[in-house]
Amino acid sequence: MEESRKTEWIWEVMISGAEEQLALVLGKMKASTIMVPLLDISMAICLIMSVMLFVERVYMAVVITIVKISGRKPDTRYKCEPIEQDLEQGSLAYPMVLVQIPMFNEREVYQLSIGAACRLSWPSDRFIVQVLDDSTDLTIKSMVEAECVRWASEGINIKYEIRDNRNGYKAGALKEGLKRSYVKECDHVAIFDADFQPEPEFLHQTIPFLIHNPQIGLVQARWKFVNANECLMTRMQEMSLNYHFTVEQEVGSSTYAFFGFNGTAGVWRMAAIEEAGGWKDRTTVEDMDLAIRASLKGWKFVYVGALQVKNELPSTFKAYRYQQHRWSCGPANLFRKMLLEIIRNEKVTLWTKVHVIYSFFLGQNSIFVNAC
């Protein structure tokens, strides 16, 4: 009994001491008026961000309404006449195009993506399919290589490229791919992730923008989700991404003629990539990085919403979480690396700098929300 009472007394003393310490700490915090200013600042930031998002939504609604009513489609704003057949030049009338397909252990979709790229209706001697395989699974590697050999036997100019490391991941693979000697003869590069399947007419619907408009550095197509109805998660992703393509990309293309490259289903002018400094692997959003650097060099971008490229949405929570983490953390890291570069740029106007900073890093892409 005495031991039990002693134990209870010790616990009472400890609890009483902890309560006194907590009360003392809270008293000091209240006395020093730390919490109240911090809460006021937090509320002010939240209010400012809410107003920014509201204004952005209203602005986009107004612009997209004007675009729809006025019919300001890409083919009315830019010259994009089909390439004329020339009997004397033959296939030389078509520019040389590189088609890059970065891959990593793509067992399920490698045949679809390679097949879609090889079936592009472009003169066979005027485009090169470059499969950039970073797979670590040797079985999948051999399967991808065998698929490339099969298409090569059918007359397609296809190159199977591997590396002895995965430095830079996708950006590193794309960068290495552009170093090959045969790439020097290419004027443009189309990029498709491994789960993307372009229609045969893709190049015919994008390359004319680049041929007839020397100021355009990128033509971006829309994504079409083939598994949108697979589950609740894919349906929610479809709604979010449909807004991104239908409104955000359309508004960016229609007003300032630049926006974030989506990393796939787009065609770049080689000169734009080179002038922007090429691919860099300093963040997880290498596509945004390149787009910002190219826009600061004065290149314009065109979004063609009517052109859709089939692809698949992440259908597992693990894949979705990885994708969202990359999209969320990347902009915050890139902002820290590029803010001074944007401010010091002398090739674009002050208003353009403000728009670049806002459209890429603030608004709904706010670095305060996405910071890691």
Side-chain angles (χ1 to χ4, degrees), residues 33 45 57 60 74 101 123 129 134 148 150 163 184 186 197 223 230 248 263 265 280 283 314 324 343 349 370:
T33 64
I45 292 175
R57 288 288 192 270
M60 287 189 173
I101 310 175
V129 177
D134 273 359
C148 293
R150 185 177 74 82
R163 302 186 292 165
K184 294 179 181 179
C186 297
Q197 305 162 45
W223 299 359
E230 184 173 334
E248 294 172 352
K280 295 184 178 181
T283 70
Q324 293 303 308
I343 294 174
T349 64
N370 296 329

PDB file of all heavy atoms in Angstrom, residues 33 45 57 60 74 101 123 129 134 148 150 163 184 186 197 223 230 248 263 265 280 283 314 324 343 349 370:
ATOM      1  N   THR A  33       3.775  38.418 -27.109  1.00  0.00           N
ATOM      2  CA  THR A  33       2.919  38.714 -28.286  1.00  0.00           C
ATOM      3  C   THR A  33       3.523  38.177 -29.584  1.00  0.00           C
ATOM      4  O   THR A  33       3.639  38.897 -30.579  1.00  0.00           O
ATOM      5  CB  THR A  33       2.666  40.222 -28.416  1.00  0.00           C
ATOM      6  OG1 THR A  33       3.923  40.875 -28.662  1.00  0.00           O
ATOM      7  CG2 THR A  33       2.035  40.789 -27.173  1.00  0.00           C
ATOM      8  N   ILE A  45      -1.720  36.550 -45.570  1.00  0.00           N
ATOM      9  CA  ILE A  45      -1.214  35.799 -46.719  1.00  0.00           C
ATOM     10  C   ILE A  45      -2.327  34.983 -47.362  1.00  0.00           C
ATOM     11  O   ILE A  45      -2.479  34.958 -48.589  1.00  0.00           O
ATOM     12  CB  ILE A  45      -0.047  34.887 -46.306  1.00  0.00           C
ATOM     13  CG1 ILE A  45       1.182  35.733 -45.914  1.00  0.00           C
ATOM     14  CG2 ILE A  45       0.322  33.929 -47.442  1.00  0.00           C
ATOM     15  CD1 ILE A  45       2.334  34.918 -45.374  1.00  0.00           C
ATOM     16  N   ARG A  57      -9.130  33.545 -61.767  1.00  0.00           N
ATOM     17  CA  ARG A  57     -10.258  32.804 -62.317  1.00  0.00           C
ATOM     18  C   ARG A  57     -11.153  33.712 -63.167  1.00  0.00           C
ATOM     19  O   ARG A  57     -11.602  33.332 -64.254  1.00  0.00           O
ATOM     20  CB  ARG A  57     -11.077  32.182 -61.175  1.00  0.00           C
ATOM     21  CG  ARG A  57     -10.406  31.022 -60.478  1.00  0.00           C
ATOM     22  CD  ARG A  57     -10.391  29.794 -61.379  1.00  0.00           C
ATOM     23  NE  ARG A  57     -10.010  28.601 -60.641  1.00  0.00           N
ATOM     24  CZ  ARG A  57      -8.784  28.146 -60.483  1.00  0.00           C
ATOM     25  NH1 ARG A  57      -7.789  28.825 -61.047  1.00  0.00           N
ATOM     26  NH2 ARG A  57      -8.518  27.056 -59.808  1.00  0.00           N
ATOM     27  N   MET A  60      -9.329  34.553 -66.448  1.00  0.00           N
ATOM     28  CA  MET A  60      -9.342  33.433 -67.387  1.00  0.00           C
ATOM     29  C   MET A  60     -10.725  33.217 -67.978  1.00  0.00           C
ATOM     30  O   MET A  60     -10.861  32.893 -69.160  1.00  0.00           O
ATOM     31  CB  MET A  60      -8.859  32.163 -66.696  1.00  0.00           C
ATOM     32  CG  MET A  60      -7.367  32.143 -66.422  1.00  0.00           C
ATOM     33  SD  MET A  60      -6.793  30.537 -65.858  1.00  0.00           S
ATOM     34  CE  MET A  60      -5.015  30.809 -65.847  1.00  0.00           C
ATOM     35  N   PRO A  74      -5.770  28.764 -83.186  1.00  0.00           N
ATOM     36  CA  PRO A  74      -4.373  28.889 -83.607  1.00  0.00           C
ATOM     37  C   PRO A  74      -4.191  29.074 -85.105  1.00  0.00           C
ATOM     38  O   PRO A  74      -3.350  29.850 -85.555  1.00  0.00           O
ATOM     39  CB  PRO A  74      -3.755  27.574 -83.125  1.00  0.00           C
ATOM     40  CG  PRO A  74      -4.594  27.151 -81.982  1.00  0.00           C
ATOM     41  CD  PRO A  74      -5.982  27.585 -82.336  1.00  0.00           C
ATOM     42  N   ILE A 101      11.296   9.217 -77.592  1.00  0.00           N
ATOM     43  CA  ILE A 101      10.418   8.479 -76.676  1.00  0.00           C
ATOM     44  C   ILE A 101      11.244   8.027 -75.475  1.00  0.00           C
ATOM     45  O   ILE A 101      11.908   6.981 -75.518  1.00  0.00           O
ATOM     46  CB  ILE A 101       9.777   7.246 -77.355  1.00  0.00           C
ATOM     47  CG1 ILE A 101       9.145   7.621 -78.693  1.00  0.00           C
ATOM     48  CG2 ILE A 101       8.742   6.607 -76.435  1.00  0.00           C
ATOM     49  CD1 ILE A 101       8.600   6.434 -79.462  1.00  0.00           C
ATOM     50  N   PRO A 123       7.228  11.553 -94.513  1.00  0.00           N
ATOM     51  CA  PRO A 123       8.166  10.789 -95.359  1.00  0.00           C
ATOM     52  C   PRO A 123       9.172  10.025 -94.507  1.00  0.00           C
ATOM     53  O   PRO A 123       9.800  10.601 -93.605  1.00  0.00           O
ATOM     54  CB  PRO A 123       8.842  11.893 -96.183  1.00  0.00           C
ATOM     55  CG  PRO A 123       7.808  12.971 -96.272  1.00  0.00           C
ATOM     56  CD  PRO A 123       7.093  12.954 -94.961  1.00  0.00           C
ATOM     57  N   VAL A 129      12.993   8.096 -85.375  1.00  0.00           N
ATOM     58  CA  VAL A 129      12.418   7.728 -84.079  1.00  0.00           C
ATOM     59  C   VAL A 129      13.563   7.334 -83.154  1.00  0.00           C
ATOM     60  O   VAL A 129      14.341   6.436 -83.474  1.00  0.00           O
ATOM     61  CB  VAL A 129      11.414   6.575 -84.212  1.00  0.00           C
ATOM     62  CG1 VAL A 129      10.883   6.172 -82.828  1.00  0.00           C
ATOM     63  CG2 VAL A 129      10.260   6.967 -85.130  1.00  0.00           C
ATOM     64  N   ASP A 134      15.942   3.843 -70.515  1.00  0.00           N
ATOM     65  CA  ASP A 134      16.674   3.850 -69.246  1.00  0.00           C
ATOM     66  C   ASP A 134      16.250   2.689 -68.351  1.00  0.00           C
ATOM     67  O   ASP A 134      16.457   2.725 -67.135  1.00  0.00           O
ATOM     68  CB  ASP A 134      16.423   5.172 -68.500  1.00  0.00           C
ATOM     69  CG  ASP A 134      17.399   6.264 -68.927  1.00  0.00           C
ATOM     70  OD1 ASP A 134      18.270   5.985 -69.769  1.00  0.00           O
ATOM     71  OD2 ASP A 134      17.283   7.391 -68.422  1.00  0.00           O
ATOM     72  N   CYS A 148      12.334  -2.328 -81.570  1.00  0.00           N
ATOM     73  CA  CYS A 148      13.001  -1.346 -82.430  1.00  0.00           C
ATOM     74  C   CYS A 148      13.600  -2.020 -83.661  1.00  0.00           C
ATOM     75  O   CYS A 148      13.518  -1.499 -84.781  1.00  0.00           O
ATOM     76  CB  CYS A 148      14.095  -0.625 -81.650  1.00  0.00           C
ATOM     77  SG  CYS A 148      13.480   0.445 -80.321  1.00  0.00           S
ATOM     78  N   ARG A 150      12.511  -4.725 -85.049  1.00  0.00           N
ATOM     79  CA  ARG A 150      11.401  -5.141 -85.913  1.00  0.00           C
ATOM     80  C   ARG A 150      10.956  -3.983 -86.804  1.00  0.00           C
ATOM     81  O   ARG A 150      10.743  -4.170 -88.012  1.00  0.00           O
ATOM     82  CB  ARG A 150      10.233  -5.629 -85.053  1.00  0.00           C
ATOM     83  CG  ARG A 150       9.063  -6.206 -85.866  1.00  0.00           C
ATOM     84  CD  ARG A 150       7.983  -6.731 -84.966  1.00  0.00           C
ATOM     85  NE  ARG A 150       7.212  -5.679 -84.344  1.00  0.00           N
ATOM     86  CZ  ARG A 150       6.207  -5.041 -84.953  1.00  0.00           C
ATOM     87  NH1 ARG A 150       5.878  -5.338 -86.214  1.00  0.00           N
ATOM     88  NH2 ARG A 150       5.535  -4.106 -84.327  1.00  0.00           N
ATOM     89  N   ARG A 163      21.902   4.259 -71.848  1.00  0.00           N
ATOM     90  CA  ARG A 163      22.999   4.896 -71.117  1.00  0.00           C
ATOM     91  C   ARG A 163      23.511   3.930 -70.050  1.00  0.00           C
ATOM     92  O   ARG A 163      22.813   2.984 -69.682  1.00  0.00           O
ATOM     93  CB  ARG A 163      22.512   6.185 -70.433  1.00  0.00           C
ATOM     94  CG  ARG A 163      21.930   7.212 -71.366  1.00  0.00           C
ATOM     95  CD  ARG A 163      21.608   8.503 -70.618  1.00  0.00           C
ATOM     96  NE  ARG A 163      20.506   8.346 -69.662  1.00  0.00           N
ATOM     97  CZ  ARG A 163      20.217   9.211 -68.684  1.00  0.00           C
ATOM     98  NH1 ARG A 163      20.970  10.288 -68.524  1.00  0.00           N
ATOM     99  NH2 ARG A 163      19.210   9.015 -67.870  1.00  0.00           N
ATOM    100  N   LYS A 184      21.939  16.255 -85.616  1.00  0.00           N
ATOM    101  CA  LYS A 184      22.334  17.556 -86.142  1.00  0.00           C
ATOM    102  C   LYS A 184      21.565  17.933 -87.406  1.00  0.00           C
ATOM    103  O   LYS A 184      21.416  19.116 -87.721  1.00  0.00           O
ATOM    104  CB  LYS A 184      23.830  17.574 -86.425  1.00  0.00           C
ATOM    105  CG  LYS A 184      24.689  17.454 -85.166  1.00  0.00           C
ATOM    106  CD  LYS A 184      26.170  17.448 -85.504  1.00  0.00           C
ATOM    107  CE  LYS A 184      27.021  17.306 -84.239  1.00  0.00           C
ATOM    108  NZ  LYS A 184      28.481  17.270 -84.552  1.00  0.00           N
ATOM    109  N   CYS A 186      18.416  17.399 -87.870  1.00  0.00           N
ATOM    110  CA  CYS A 186      16.993  17.571 -87.552  1.00  0.00           C
ATOM    111  C   CYS A 186      16.672  19.021 -87.219  1.00  0.00           C
ATOM    112  O   CYS A 186      17.423  19.693 -86.513  1.00  0.00           O
ATOM    113  CB  CYS A 186      16.597  16.680 -86.376  1.00  0.00           C
ATOM    114  SG  CYS A 186      16.776  14.913 -86.720  1.00  0.00           S
ATOM    115  N   GLN A 197       0.285   8.020 -77.435  1.00  0.00           N
ATOM    116  CA  GLN A 197       0.105   7.432 -78.761  1.00  0.00           C
ATOM    117  C   GLN A 197      -0.433   8.490 -79.731  1.00  0.00           C
ATOM    118  O   GLN A 197      -1.631   8.694 -79.828  1.00  0.00           O
ATOM    119  CB  GLN A 197      -0.877   6.260 -78.690  1.00  0.00           C
ATOM    120  CG  GLN A 197      -0.488   5.187 -77.679  1.00  0.00           C
ATOM    121  CD  GLN A 197      -1.656   4.307 -77.326  1.00  0.00           C
ATOM    122  OE1 GLN A 197      -2.409   3.865 -78.194  1.00  0.00           O
ATOM    123  NE2 GLN A 197      -1.832   4.028 -76.032  1.00  0.00           N
ATOM    124  N   TRP A 223      -3.896  16.471 -74.214  1.00  0.00           N
ATOM    125  CA  TRP A 223      -3.891  15.059 -73.829  1.00  0.00           C
ATOM    126  C   TRP A 223      -5.315  14.508 -73.868  1.00  0.00           C
ATOM    127  O   TRP A 223      -6.275  15.179 -73.479  1.00  0.00           O
ATOM    128  CB  TRP A 223      -3.345  14.880 -72.420  1.00  0.00           C
ATOM    129  CG  TRP A 223      -1.928  15.329 -72.225  1.00  0.00           C
ATOM    130  CD1 TRP A 223      -1.073  15.848 -73.158  1.00  0.00           C
ATOM    131  CD2 TRP A 223      -1.201  15.328 -70.994  1.00  0.00           C
ATOM    132  NE1 TRP A 223       0.135  16.159 -72.607  1.00  0.00           N
ATOM    133  CE2 TRP A 223       0.091  15.857 -71.270  1.00  0.00           C
ATOM    134  CE3 TRP A 223      -1.498  14.936 -69.690  1.00  0.00           C
ATOM    135  CZ2 TRP A 223       1.072  15.991 -70.282  1.00  0.00           C
ATOM    136  CZ3 TRP A 223      -0.532  15.071 -68.712  1.00  0.00           C
ATOM    137  CH2 TRP A 223       0.741  15.584 -69.002  1.00  0.00           C
ATOM    138  N   GLU A 230     -11.711   4.611 -65.466  1.00  0.00           N
ATOM    139  CA  GLU A 230     -11.259   3.383 -64.798  1.00  0.00           C
ATOM    140  C   GLU A 230     -11.642   3.352 -63.321  1.00  0.00           C
ATOM    141  O   GLU A 230     -12.034   2.321 -62.791  1.00  0.00           O
ATOM    142  CB  GLU A 230      -9.741   3.252 -64.945  1.00  0.00           C
ATOM    143  CG  GLU A 230      -9.179   1.966 -64.364  1.00  0.00           C
ATOM    144  CD  GLU A 230      -7.702   1.797 -64.666  1.00  0.00           C
ATOM    145  OE1 GLU A 230      -7.233   2.363 -65.675  1.00  0.00           O
ATOM    146  OE2 GLU A 230      -7.016   1.099 -63.896  1.00  0.00           O
ATOM    147  N   GLU A 248      -6.451  27.035 -68.939  1.00  0.00           N
ATOM    148  CA  GLU A 248      -5.137  27.613 -68.650  1.00  0.00           C
ATOM    149  C   GLU A 248      -4.217  27.652 -69.861  1.00  0.00           C
ATOM    150  O   GLU A 248      -3.626  28.692 -70.174  1.00  0.00           O
ATOM    151  CB  GLU A 248      -4.474  26.829 -67.513  1.00  0.00           C
ATOM    152  CG  GLU A 248      -5.202  26.976 -66.186  1.00  0.00           C
ATOM    153  CD  GLU A 248      -4.651  26.060 -65.116  1.00  0.00           C
ATOM    154  OE1 GLU A 248      -3.803  25.207 -65.434  1.00  0.00           O
ATOM    155  OE2 GLU A 248      -5.076  26.195 -63.955  1.00  0.00           O
ATOM    156  N   GLY A 263       5.665  18.633 -71.111  1.00  0.00           N
ATOM    157  CA  GLY A 263       6.664  17.573 -71.039  1.00  0.00           C
ATOM    158  C   GLY A 263       6.508  16.479 -72.077  1.00  0.00           C
ATOM    159  O   GLY A 263       7.390  15.632 -72.233  1.00  0.00           O
ATOM    160  N   ALA A 265       3.858  15.214 -75.863  1.00  0.00           N
ATOM    161  CA  ALA A 265       2.838  15.571 -76.859  1.00  0.00           C
ATOM    162  C   ALA A 265       3.047  16.985 -77.391  1.00  0.00           C
ATOM    163  O   ALA A 265       2.104  17.738 -77.611  1.00  0.00           O
ATOM    164  CB  ALA A 265       1.432  15.424 -76.284  1.00  0.00           C
ATOM    165  N   LYS A 280      17.907  20.708 -68.663  1.00  0.00           N
ATOM    166  CA  LYS A 280      18.643  20.746 -67.397  1.00  0.00           C
ATOM    167  C   LYS A 280      17.923  19.886 -66.365  1.00  0.00           C
ATOM    168  O   LYS A 280      16.691  19.841 -66.344  1.00  0.00           O
ATOM    169  CB  LYS A 280      18.768  22.186 -66.891  1.00  0.00           C
ATOM    170  CG  LYS A 280      19.606  23.081 -67.794  1.00  0.00           C
ATOM    171  CD  LYS A 280      19.792  24.476 -67.209  1.00  0.00           C
ATOM    172  CE  LYS A 280      20.665  25.339 -68.110  1.00  0.00           C
ATOM    173  NZ  LYS A 280      20.879  26.704 -67.548  1.00  0.00           N
ATOM    174  N   THR A 283      15.911  20.399 -61.431  1.00  0.00           N
ATOM    175  CA  THR A 283      14.670  20.227 -60.683  1.00  0.00           C
ATOM    176  C   THR A 283      13.908  19.039 -61.265  1.00  0.00           C
ATOM    177  O   THR A 283      14.322  18.442 -62.261  1.00  0.00           O
ATOM    178  CB  THR A 283      13.761  21.470 -60.761  1.00  0.00           C
ATOM    179  OG1 THR A 283      13.229  21.590 -62.095  1.00  0.00           O
ATOM    180  CG2 THR A 283      14.525  22.731 -60.404  1.00  0.00           C
ATOM    181  N   PRO A 314      -2.447   8.060 -64.175  1.00  0.00           N
ATOM    182  CA  PRO A 314      -2.042   7.146 -63.095  1.00  0.00           C
ATOM    183  C   PRO A 314      -3.280   6.544 -62.438  1.00  0.00           C
ATOM    184  O   PRO A 314      -4.175   7.273 -62.010  1.00  0.00           O
ATOM    185  CB  PRO A 314      -1.290   8.068 -62.117  1.00  0.00           C
ATOM    186  CG  PRO A 314      -0.844   9.226 -62.943  1.00  0.00           C
ATOM    187  CD  PRO A 314      -1.914   9.416 -63.982  1.00  0.00           C
ATOM    188  N   GLN A 324       2.192  13.829 -58.354  1.00  0.00           N
ATOM    189  CA  GLN A 324       1.809  15.079 -57.717  1.00  0.00           C
ATOM    190  C   GLN A 324       2.954  15.669 -56.889  1.00  0.00           C
ATOM    191  O   GLN A 324       3.114  16.887 -56.819  1.00  0.00           O
ATOM    192  CB  GLN A 324       0.572  14.859 -56.830  1.00  0.00           C
ATOM    193  CG  GLN A 324      -0.679  14.517 -57.613  1.00  0.00           C
ATOM    194  CD  GLN A 324      -1.035  15.578 -58.642  1.00  0.00           C
ATOM    195  OE1 GLN A 324      -1.136  16.756 -58.327  1.00  0.00           O
ATOM    196  NE2 GLN A 324      -1.231  15.153 -59.894  1.00  0.00           N
ATOM    197  N   ILE A 343      14.428  38.219 -63.353  1.00  0.00           N
ATOM    198  CA  ILE A 343      14.465  39.653 -63.075  1.00  0.00           C
ATOM    199  C   ILE A 343      15.534  40.359 -63.908  1.00  0.00           C
ATOM    200  O   ILE A 343      15.329  41.463 -64.430  1.00  0.00           O
ATOM    201  CB  ILE A 343      14.703  39.907 -61.572  1.00  0.00           C
ATOM    202  CG1 ILE A 343      13.499  39.399 -60.761  1.00  0.00           C
ATOM    203  CG2 ILE A 343      14.953  41.383 -61.299  1.00  0.00           C
ATOM    204  CD1 ILE A 343      13.694  39.462 -59.269  1.00  0.00           C
ATOM    205  N   THR A 349      10.075  42.411 -71.789  1.00  0.00           N
ATOM    206  CA  THR A 349       9.614  43.592 -71.069  1.00  0.00           C
ATOM    207  C   THR A 349       9.351  43.273 -69.596  1.00  0.00           C
ATOM    208  O   THR A 349       9.224  42.108 -69.205  1.00  0.00           O
ATOM    209  CB  THR A 349       8.321  44.132 -71.687  1.00  0.00           C
ATOM    210  OG1 THR A 349       7.285  43.140 -71.537  1.00  0.00           O
ATOM    211  CG2 THR A 349       8.528  44.444 -73.162  1.00  0.00           C
ATOM    212  N   ASN A 370       2.895  25.076 -52.723  1.00  0.00           N
ATOM    213  CA  ASN A 370       3.616  23.897 -53.205  1.00  0.00           C
ATOM    214  C   ASN A 370       4.994  23.717 -52.618  1.00  0.00           C
ATOM    215  O   ASN A 370       5.663  22.730 -52.947  1.00  0.00           O
ATOM    216  CB  ASN A 370       3.729  23.964 -54.735  1.00  0.00           C
ATOM    217  CG  ASN A 370       2.379  23.894 -55.399  1.00  0.00           C
ATOM    218  OD1 ASN A 370       1.474  23.271 -54.873  1.00  0.00           O
ATOM    219  ND2 ASN A 370       2.225  24.527 -56.544  1.00  0.00           N
TER     220      ASN A 370
END
